[in-house]
Amino acid sequence: MSTSNKRAPVTHFHPISSPDYVPLEQLRELQSRRLAHMARRAYENVPLYRERMQAKGVTPDDIQSIDDISKLPFTMKCDLRDTYPYGLFASPLKDIVRLHASSGTTGKPIVVAYTKEDLSVWDEVVARALAGYGLTKNDIIQNSFGYGLFTGGLGLHGGIERLGALAVPVSGGNTERQILLMKDFGVTAISCTPSYFVHLIDKAQQMGLDIREFPLRVGIFGAEPWTEAMRAHMEDAAGIRAYNIYGLSEIVGPGVGSECWTQEGMHIFEDHFYPEIINPQTGETLPDGEEGELVLSTLSKEAMPMLRYRTRDITTIERDTCPCGRTIRRIRRISRRSDDMLIIRGVNVFPSQIETGILRVEGTLPHFQILLTRSGGLDQMEVRVEVNADVLGDTIASIEGFKQKVAQSIENIIGLHIRVTPVTPHTLKRSEGKINRVVDLRNEGK
């Protein structure tokens, strides 16, 4: 199979994708009906929502249309921690069939719950996402997201089975085995974090294997921000089409939104998850087309309704209709979060900007680490980046020139001159889950 054929866009989809094309008036009527039900369910069963709605002078009777959503209070991640473990559940435990949790920085994880009906919705939206990539029941999908309390593994798994495809539930880790199974099983699609897929590509090369020669044609990537430069690298190195899948545990997990074959933004499955964009400083709702913080409301989740959850993800809702014909709206790629911003000498810096600057320079590899230190009261930032072996094999003068080239490329984006340290391939630690790009040593020794 040639690389060009493997990467050709597919435009014929499984019938399960039909809810994506519902007429707008019908969609709004469905959203309005479901929002009214969710607001009442939250008010009657979750003390936090009842107290906040009462504080705003809002009752469930005030929520008659999707346009009334701005009357509802926001929900934030700290609310899940403060009500740990079951305080936001709207269903009794006897009706809940699964719990998931994400690790918490304060020692308390974020706990989320699902009824049997919630799991059915989750399977449905993930299957719709997979269909949007051109996958069908004839595909073999290797799921390398971690299984367990993390939502990625079981979330993708349910959607794969709903689609009718063959699921290979590898989970994370054991990279050599992953590659051999991918080859021997004739895997046609893989789901994992983008950083782990880059690691798989590197490992395969070390094993003398070229993933471009595998039947693999689709990559499903999420759980961490990644850039268009990273997409280009993965598609070229593996001969695939790389697609984004979006989700967060607090809403459902992967399957809140996904790209289609156009790769021009992620469709939000807004018959189940209603998107808004707000000004992250003021909370003011912004019109489609303006950048701000994504806010999501669940419209059908029984166990744990989320009303106007502030995701901290910065994006824009597209105004234009997608060429694929779907009527559900799209958001632009989420390349940064309002809470992963670094402030270096008064300048706002996002790790995704560093990645973009690095990958613009020939000879660099998509493995880097940001090291933050403090000297003389000033913050210092060093970027360690892996480069092709032949770059480091040149003269000292050429190495210095290369370092300056990378530093200049980054400076052109962030406006700061930083130190760049090139390192040999496979120097930096690889990740089998979500990658941590930043090492902050600024408070060490205090």
Side-chain angles (χ1 to χ4, degrees):
M1 181 181 295
S2 70
T3 297
S4 59
N5 286 338
K6 287 166 65 176
R7 293 176 56 185
V10 179
T11 56
H12 297 89
F13 301 111
H14 193 279
I16 200 168
S17 62
S18 59
D20 301 343
Y21 302 89
V22 67
L24 289 177
E25 287 187 10
Q26 184 179 335
L27 176 61
R28 283 184 56 82
E29 190 277 331
L30 177 65
Q31 290 169 332
S32 296
R33 187 172 71 250
R34 286 181 169 174
L35 178 66
H37 175 70
M38 278 293 104
R40 185 170 298 280
R41 184 175 182 84
Y43 185 91
E44 293 177 350
N45 296 285
V46 184
L48 181 141
Y49 282 124
R50 183 163 56 249
E51 292 166 7
R52 289 191 178 169
M53 288 174 68
Q54 289 174 344
K56 293 191 70 171
V58 177
T59 71
D61 292 335
D62 297 319
I63 309 302
Q64 300 294 324
S65 162
I66 195 66
D67 294 327
D68 295 324
I69 195 167
S70 60
K71 299 176 182 178
L72 294 170
F74 290 117
T75 313
M76 292 164 283
K77 179 169 283 192
C78 61
D79 295 326
L80 284 87
R81 293 196 180 105
D82 292 345
T83 57
Y84 171 88
Y86 302 151
L88 291 184
F89 291 8
S91 296
L93 289 179
K94 67 181 180 64
D95 293 335
I96 291 173
V97 297
R98 189 191 298 174
L99 298 179
H100 279 285
S102 60
S103 58
T105 57
T106 62
K108 291 183 178 180
I110 300 301
V111 179
V112 290
Y114 307 79
T115 64
K116 184 177 179 180
E117 290 75 16
D118 293 336
L119 292 181
S120 180
V121 169
W122 195 6
D123 292 347
E124 173 206 326
V125 292
V126 172
R128 286 161 65 181
L130 299 176
Y133 309 143
L135 298 173
T136 72
K137 64 180 181 180
N138 298 316
D139 280 289
I140 303 171
I141 305 176
Q142 182 163 317
N143 186 12
S144 300
F145 279 117
Y147 282 64
L149 288 177
F150 172 58
T151 57
L154 284 168
L156 259 293
H157 187 100
I160 294 169
E161 293 190 342
R162 175 69 70 89
L163 185 68
L166 194 163
V168 182
V170 182
S171 192
N174 206 335
T175 302
E176 288 190 10
R177 182 167 175 262
Q178 297 249 8
I179 294 165
L180 292 176
L181 292 180
M182 197 187 313
K183 176 177 178 289
D184 295 344
F185 289 3
V187 168
T188 57
I190 188 170
S191 55
C192 59
T193 62
S195 56
Y196 186 57
F197 187 68
V198 171
H199 180 42
L200 286 170
I201 294 170
D202 292 346
K203 194 66 173 179
Q205 291 173 344
Q206 293 175 40
M207 296 167 64
L209 298 172
D210 186 347
I211 291 180
R212 287 174 295 188
E213 297 177 355
F214 293 6
L216 190 72
R217 63 185 178 86
V218 169
I220 304 153
F221 304 118
E224 62 190 27
W226 53 293
T227 63
E228 285 299 318
M230 178 71 89
R231 190 206 300 271
H233 172 80
M234 292 189 293
E235 290 191 338
D236 290 340
I240 63 169
R241 284 178 66 84
Y243 292 102
N244 221 333
I245 191 165
Y246 176 67
L248 56 165
S249 299
E250 298 90 330
I251 300 300
V252 68
V256 173
S258 67
E259 289 183 314
C260 62
W261 62 267
T262 68
Q263 297 177 314
E264 295 180 2
M266 293 181 287
H267 291 276
I268 299 295
F269 297 114
E270 58 175 319
D271 50 329
H272 295 292
F273 318 109
Y274 187 78
E276 302 173 84
I277 297 293
I278 65 167
N279 181 315
Q281 279 74 47
T282 66
E284 173 194 5
T285 302
L286 301 176
D288 290 359
E290 292 196 22
E291 184 180 77
E293 180 183 343
L294 178 64
V295 171
L296 291 168
S297 298
T298 59
L299 298 180
S300 57
K301 195 170 184 189
E302 297 180 340
M304 193 171 163
M306 280 282 115
L307 300 180
R308 306 194 78 197
Y309 181 76
R310 295 190 59 167
T311 68
R312 301 297 180 184
D313 291 328
I314 303 299
T315 186
T316 303
I317 295 178
E318 295 281 8
R319 293 181 188 154
D320 301 330
T321 302
C322 183
C324 78
R326 285 173 173 78
T327 52
I328 53 174
R329 288 175 293 172
R330 292 170 294 155
I331 59 171
R332 292 180 189 167
R333 169 185 292 278
I334 295 169
S335 59
R336 60 192 175 95
R337 290 173 51 85
S338 62
D339 56 0
D340 74 355
M341 182 177 69
L342 307 172
I343 302 178
I344 308 298
R345 300 194 291 277
V347 176
N348 298 341
V349 178
F350 293 90
S352 57
Q353 295 174 307
I354 303 297
E355 179 178 278
T356 298
I358 287 170
L359 293 180
R360 285 180 178 176
V361 180
E362 187 176 355
T364 59
L365 299 173
H367 302 289
F368 69 95
Q369 185 180 73
I370 300 169
L371 181 64
L372 302 178
T373 56
R374 185 165 288 143
S375 177
L378 293 177
D379 290 340
Q380 307 293 332
M381 183 165 70
E382 174 188 353
V383 175
R384 297 172 178 171
V385 56
E386 291 186 9
V387 300
N388 290 327
D390 55 354
V391 171
L392 296 180
D394 264 335
T395 64
I396 293 178
S398 64
I399 292 174
E400 288 300 318
F402 181 82
K403 288 164 60 175
Q404 291 303 315
K405 191 174 182 180
V406 177
Q408 186 61 55
S409 178
I410 295 172
E411 183 176 356
N412 289 342
I413 296 173
I414 68 173
L416 279 178
H417 186 75
I418 62 171
R419 179 183 175 188
V420 172
T421 303
V423 298
T424 56
H426 312 294
T427 297
L428 301 177
K429 183 179 178 181
R430 299 300 193 255
S431 170
E432 295 180 350
K434 290 188 181 182
I435 194 165
N436 182 15
R437 296 285 195 191
V438 182
V439 177
D440 193 345
L441 304 177
R442 287 177 292 182
N443 293 320
E444 290 216 347
K446 288 190 173 183

